[in-house]
Each structure stands twice: as C-alpha cells, then as structure tokens.
Amino acid sequence: MPVSADTTQIAIVQEATYGVTPASPTWLIMPITGESLVATANSELSATLNADRQSDDSFLNGIEPAGSLDFEFAKSPAMTLLLESAMGKATATSTTDRTLTVGLDQISFTVEKRWPDPNTPGSYLYHRYPGCVANTMTLTFTAGTKCTGSCGLIGQALVTDDAVVAASTYPPITEFNVFRGPDVTQIELDNAGGTLLPTLTDSCVTDIVINLNNNYRGVQCLGTLGNKETVIGKFECNYTQTIFFSSNELMDNFISQDIVDEIITVGDNATDDYYTFTTTKGKIAANDVVAGGEGTDVVNANTINWLNDKTLGTPTTIEILTSEGL
C-alpha cells in the first residue's frame, strides 16, 4: 500500500550535544510544503579484476544527509529554531521581543520524518537525521501571494526506526498565520545622503528575496559512516528586489557604491505577530533597468550584498526582531 506524502509529519528538536537527540524530547512540529532531506550515498564498485568480467562487490563508503525543508512563512516555535540555527546564535529574549543577530554558535537539531506504517495500521515508520544545521535559508515575499521559504540543511547521519523515541511529546502548534504579500507593512531603503525608497506609499516593490548562507561543510573521518561534525563558515546575506523605476537614485547609488541600509517588516507588531529584518550596511551589487517588452513595466532589478557593521554595539550583518510570545 503506497504512503502518501500528505501523511508526512516533520518535527525538530534542538540538541544540547551535537548529533545527540535529547532524551524525552519535546518535538516542534514543522509545517512544510515539501522536503528533500536525504542521505546522499558515496558508493563504488569493487575494482578487483575478475575473469568473469563482472563486479564482485559494491561498497557504501559514506553518506551525507542534506536537503531542504520548504514552507509557508509563518511564526512558530520550529521557525524560531530554524532562524536561530541560520543566524548562528540563540535569541536574546526580553519581556516583549526576541532579537537574532549573526553569531558563532553551532545550533544543531534532530529532524524526524514520520509516516504511517502501511503494513501495521496505527503504527508509524521514522527517519531521524541527528546533527542537522541550517546551512542556508531563503525567504520570498511576493506581491499578491503568500510568503514562502526554504531552509537548506546539512546533517550527521540517518537513523531508521519503527518506534517513537521514549517519552517524546509533540505539542500542537497553537498559532500558525501564514504571512502574505499584503502583510509586508514596512520597506525603507536609505543611504547616507537621503532616502532611496522612503515608504510603501511612495514606492512599489513587487518582490523581495532574503538569502542567508552559513557556508557549512561536513567533515567525514575514519570510523564514521556519515559526517562526524559540521564546521560553520563565512556568513553571507543578500537581498534581491524588484522595484518600480521612478528615478535615477538607485542606479546612481549603484554606480557610486555608497552604503545603504534597509528595514523590512512582515506582519503586525501591534498584535505581536511579526518579523522585522534590519540591515545597516550594504552595497548594491547589481541594478538592472530594462524595458522588457510590450505590456511590461520598467523596474530596478537589484541585488544588495549586506556587510558586517562594526559600528553597532553588537557588530552584525543582519538583525531579526520578532515578538516574544510564540
């Protein structure tokens, strides 16, 4: 009997020790639209000469768990954990807000896939990937549609099971409101000489894509089949944006390579259901202005590389602020 992808449950739990699923875990259910997390095999055939002109054996030399979790962008405890891992720093909490800045922490978690067992009704089959870290994250905000995202993972190993981890709990998600294009309530793009994109009232932005990359790499060692550990690399952040052409200011800024800053808010901070992305130091890496053809609009299609701002109390490339209550 086939197993439908619609019956898949994805849950994650933070690890105190890299690659070790906590005892009595409280799993955070992660709503997804799809996933591609697999244990990529490194296998080869035997090179031993054989008079029969055939291979005598095949070897599994290593596996590297990797892939993505794709989702509709909304607030949830699982989303907070993914963002913490993507930023490399646990959130600093206050009475009202959580603030994420770029850090050096390896925040790892176990990913659990669960499916109904087609041969034993009422039971489940499990694939668990310990030692996962958020290597990349992409958040996409587009006018007229829902906000989406994808988190690229690197893991340590794959463990199969037909039983739940002892004393596991799966708290239900109490709030899951997917953000939409109309929920992008603030976009301000400025430079030192003035305002490049003052307000949503005066400008038209049709899409923004936020890209985060930790440049993680897996390390394979003798005595282990998967990654023994993962090593964090240089943090990179860029935005790609499409902005209606209304002046030469963006192009002039691109040519002069002046520093820019930007604030994007998604959601409503009055109801504590929001994320604000703040970047204070960046340069426009590309800005294409073209007339694509009949029935199209002239736009600035630009890419901004965001840089470490050492003038801040906590030097960082990007800061993510969200409400405390989850």
Side-chain angles (χ1 to χ4, degrees):
M1 180 179 179
V3 177
S4 172
D6 296 288
T7 64
T8 305
Q9 175 180 282
I10 298 288
I12 62 178
V13 62
Q14 186 170 348
E15 299 169 347
T17 302
Y18 175 75
V20 179
T21 304
S24 306
T26 299
W27 296 92
L28 305 178
I29 296 174
M30 179 70 206
I32 63 165
T33 57
E35 57 91 13
S36 61
L37 182 58
V38 296
T40 301
N42 171 17
S43 61
E44 62 179 331
L45 293 171
S46 171
T48 300
L49 299 179
N50 186 315
D52 296 327
R53 202 172 54 84
Q54 299 171 55
S55 297
D56 283 327
D57 206 349
S58 175
F59 312 107
L60 177 62
N61 298 323
I63 58 173
E64 183 169 10
S68 66
L69 300 179
D70 306 320
F71 50 83
E72 296 167 334
F73 187 51
K75 274 185 56 183
S76 72
M79 181 59 63
T80 296
L81 177 54
L82 289 183
L83 283 169
E84 287 179 330
S85 184
M87 296 289 282
K89 192 168 185 178
T91 52
T93 60
S94 68
T95 56
T96 56
D97 299 311
R98 291 177 181 259
T99 302
L100 292 82
T101 56
V102 180
L104 298 172
D105 301 330
Q106 182 190 64
I107 299 176
S108 66
F109 48 90
T110 298
V111 177
E112 179 185 79
K113 300 185 192 180
R114 189 189 78 175
W115 298 279
D117 184 343
N119 297 312
T120 310
S123 298
Y124 295 95
L125 299 174
Y126 300 86
H127 287 182
R128 298 189 185 98
Y129 295 83
C132 286
V133 290
N135 183 39
T136 63
M137 181 172 284
T138 300
L139 302 175
T140 302
F141 312 119
T142 303
T145 188
K146 61 190 176 185
C147 302
T148 61
S150 181
C151 185
L153 308 179
I154 293 178
Q156 183 192 57
L158 166 61
V159 180
T160 65
D161 206 342
D162 58 4
V164 69
V165 175
S168 287
T169 56
Y170 298 85
I173 299 174
T174 58
E175 180 183 6
F176 186 74
N177 299 320
V178 175
F179 297 114
R180 310 157 302 145
D183 296 320
V184 180
T185 55
Q186 180 186 25
I187 305 174
E188 294 183 14
L189 176 61
D190 304 318
N191 68 1
T195 301
L196 298 174
L197 186 68
T199 64
L200 284 174
T201 303
D202 301 325
S203 310
C204 182
V205 182
T206 61
D207 60 80
I208 299 174
V209 180
I210 296 176
N211 296 293
L212 310 177
N213 190 345
N214 284 305
N215 285 295
Y216 266 106
R217 66 184 187 277
V219 177
Q220 298 202 358
C221 302
L222 294 176
T224 59
L225 181 63
N227 289 325
K228 185 173 183 179
E229 56 186 276
T230 54
V231 181
I232 199 168
K234 177 183 285 188
F235 179 84
E236 297 176 334
C237 175
N238 70 63
Y239 293 179
T240 60
Q241 304 176 104
T242 303
I243 303 169
F244 272 43
F245 178 71
S246 59
S247 74
N248 283 327
E249 287 186 279
L250 282 170
M251 184 61 75
D252 290 341
N253 188 275
F254 164 57
I255 294 171
S256 67
Q257 287 291 281
D258 289 338
I259 297 297
V260 297
D261 60 85
E262 189 163 3
I263 298 176
I264 301 169
T265 297
V266 184
D268 183 4
N269 57 14
T271 61
D272 286 339
D273 188 19
Y274 73 97
Y275 287 98
T276 294
F277 303 86
T278 301
T279 41
T280 60
K281 182 182 179 182
K283 290 186 177 182
I284 299 177
N287 190 68
D288 299 331
V289 179
V290 295
E294 183 178 7
T296 63
D297 300 304
V298 180
V299 297
N300 296 276
N302 67 35
T303 299
I304 302 178
N305 289 330
W306 296 105
L307 311 170
N308 186 20
D309 189 346
K310 295 182 181 294
T311 67
L312 302 175
T314 302
T316 193
T317 302
I318 181 174
E319 177 184 277
I320 304 175
L321 178 68
T322 186
S323 60
E324 168 73 14
L326 289 171

